[in-house]
Amino acid sequence: MSEETNTQSKQSPSGNRLSKVRGLSDRAIAWIFISPTILILLAINIFPLIWTVYLSFTNYRVNRPNKEVEFVGLRNYERILSDSDIWITMQATAHFLIWTIILQVVIGFTLAYLINKKFKGNDLWTTIIVLPMMLSPAVVGNFWTFLYQPQIGLFNYVVGFVSGADPSSFSMIGDVALAPWSIVIVDTWMWTPFVMLICLAGLRSIPDSIYEAAECDRASKWRQFWTITIPMVLPFLMLAVLFRGIENFKMFDLVVQLTGGGPGSITELTSINLKREAFEKWRTGYASAYAVILFVSIFGIASIYVKALNKVKSR
Amino acid sequence: MKSKLMKSVIGIGALAASTLGPSSAQAEDLTLCWAAWDPANALVELSKDFESQSGHNMSFEFVPWPNFADRMLNELNSGGQLCDLMIGDSQWIGGAAENGHYIKMNDFFEKEGIDMADFIPATVTGYSEWPKGTPNYWALPAFGDVVGWTYRKDWFDRPELQAEFKEKHGRALDAPKTLEELKQIAEFFQEREIDGKKVYGASIYTERGSEGITMGVTNALYNYGFQYENPEKPYELEGFVNSEGAVAGLEFYKALYDCCVPPGSSDWYMSENIDAFKSGQVAMQMNFAFIWPGVESDPNVGGGKSGYFPNPAGPGGQFAQLGGQGISVVAYSEKQDAALEYIKWFAQPEVQKKWWESGGYSALSAVVDDPGFASSQPYAQTFLDSMAIVKDFWAEPAYASLLQPMQSRIHNYVIAGQGTAKEALDGMVKDWNEVFEDEGIK
């Protein structure tokens, strides 16, 4: 009976198809499975990237469909790299990037170190600390504008209460000197928990036996910290810096809600500036060149950083 | 009998088809796009008459002002069919005409007997014409608007404040006639305690993201002598945009910001100014005239507590920034006939009269020239006076590219205090020249 069935199946059309599939190599089957994903990636990632590079050499404007598109060579790149306003936004981005990373790493690691100790209410505190990163950046930006409000804002009130200054005598988001710090403070408030969680994972991955061995060797707590804790958490810290660096390099929503890039262009980060060029001034070719420069910069820096990270991990 | 009955049925059917048929076959769902603000709500109510008369259904897509241009220009640039009718900002007219976003309305106006001479001339130039000054119409003036000032009349009328002000400045505390007087009044009220509450001089436009500070600062620039270009030689900017008068006008606006606004008002536009005024924070507010019906009906500041005045004069004359919009038919709409029906209905004098009564600012001369108009509302005369002195920003197809550098340069100087007024205006000349070069105009 089983032989008959086998024979029938071999002779039927479905049996033929099955035998054809059976004839495919593993490599061919793998290609069949991944080709839809590759096609989608090509359509939504690779093609737009190539198209952006092409547009960056033209004077194309998306709001001027009737205007002839001209090839302008490297003119867009020359303009961007010699534009002092662009360098000001680069400086604003660098200030934001450096200070948020420093503060988030220092505070995040400190919190992780404290949370890692066993004490009553440990889980509750972890949950409370992690809450800000669960909020939408647009919501955070919006409610911090109220907290920073000189007349009714809680932030100004607290600073006034502590320092004795009149709360309405300073404006965090309206003052040139304070505005860059206002966005650093909010981003640090929101994303330090993320760094803390990564550091906590690093701290919890250190086996207790290493500390016990150090105790046996009568190593002080300070020495244990510098020779065990820091080196073993370092790859995690570097990973946190990488994530936050990439995220903050393209920071947009939170800052737009908070300051809109102002006062003047003091907090106009590169992503906000790029959006203005592309979708407010409608200089599509110019904005494409700008995007290519940013992409190459961030890709280059991230690649160097990942190599350094791998070196640290392999130690 | 049977054949008679059949004939009757056929007859009734034919009658029904001839009367109901066409209108039910042509009934369309029209979508009108505009900004989300008080006049839009008034238009929703007004449009119910159109729905009942025409059989068409009206839907509305309203976008808050800060996102209005972004959202709607994206829609037009992508050839979207969301909007059949667009009440677009006055500065869009050049781009919308040249890029084919709006249909040209000359033939339609001629066919329907709609004469542009029947509308306030400034609104025709501002909202309908492209190129400016030529009889090429792309919109029907829909909502006349202009920047003006609102003040706390009840505070101004207080005898003790009147006496103190007179002693200090030698004149009555009244609506200012010049920008200098306006600044003196703002200084007088700044951080003054009224009814146990600290109040401030004035709320002015300072918004950075869209068009706010430009719509504000031009009210000072125009009146000190700023011009967009050489009147004799179009697109010649040097010496006009950055003239001595223009520098003085910009310095005045910064001085007003530095002395007399509420703390934290570094990014304020229409809604923030309204809030500051209605909550009793400021003695005066700069704002478009559309807010005045809302001020009059407000329990805190309405009912005679507030007064209105046009933008005061400066050494270079008296002008005010034009606001307002025209209504256009979107070229990508598949319901253009029905959309034109709406415009025909909207242009009728009785509809325009009702539009004014319901809180919209009609641009039809027959409405505003009516002998009873000036006294019909406490702000009506100010509206008329203001509409007589309007000037508008560039309406070139590249208007967005011209607006952004101005926003940036002016905000950098006035709010961030970077550089000098001359440097800011010189920078604007440089940026605008680049835009015109890119456009192939210069």
Side-chain angles (χ1 to χ4, degrees), chain A residues 61 63-64 66-67 75 79 85 150-151 168 171 173-174 176 263-266 268 275-276 279-282, chain B residues 70 74 77 98-99 200 208-209 263-264 266 281 397 400-401 404 408-409 411-412 415-416 418 438-439:
Chain A
R61 283 170 184 267
N63 68 332
R64 307 295 302 277
N66 303 332
K67 198 179 171 189
R75 198 175 80 188
R79 272 188 170 184
D85 291 343
Q151 294 169 76
S168 64
S171 168
I173 56 179
V176 178
S265 303
I266 296 294
E268 189 167 298
K275 185 258 179 183
R276 287 204 165 120
F279 300 111
E280 290 176 16
K281 295 184 186 174
W282 301 100
Chain B
D70 264 11
N74 264 321
N77 289 330
E98 292 209 1
N99 297 319
Y200 301 92
R208 167 73 176 85
S266 57
Q281 279 189 68
S401 303
Q404 286 309 317
S408 164
R409 299 278 181 189
H411 210 269
N412 263 325
I415 313 298
Q418 295 191 322
D438 281 352
E439 289 291 307

Side-chain angles (χ1 to χ4, degrees), chain B residues 180-239:
Chain B
E180 274 306 320
E181 286 181 12
L182 181 138
K183 186 161 164 275
Q184 284 173 357
I185 294 171
E187 283 167 339
F188 179 75
F189 278 102
Q190 183 72 3
E191 300 199 346
R192 180 172 287 274
E193 199 158 292
I194 291 183
D195 299 334
K197 191 176 158 188
K198 193 193 274 186
V199 305
Y200 301 92
S203 53
I204 61 175
Y205 289 164
T206 56
E207 187 254 8
R208 167 73 176 85
S210 59
E211 57 170 19
I213 198 164
T214 299
M215 294 295 108
V217 74
T218 45
N219 294 284
L221 291 177
Y222 297 152
N223 294 358
Y224 274 82
F226 166 96
Q227 286 180 295
Y228 285 105
E229 58 190 337
N230 182 350
E232 309 297 322
K233 195 176 173 193
Y235 304 111
E236 185 180 285
L237 313 177
E238 186 66 40

Side-chain angles (χ1 to χ4, degrees), chain B residues 371-393:
Chain B
F373 180 84
S375 56
S376 62
Q377 293 288 352
Y379 46 81
Q381 185 60 53
T382 305
F383 173 69
L384 285 179
D385 296 342
S386 299
M387 285 306 288
I389 55 171
V390 292
K391 264 195 187 187
D392 200 6
F393 187 74

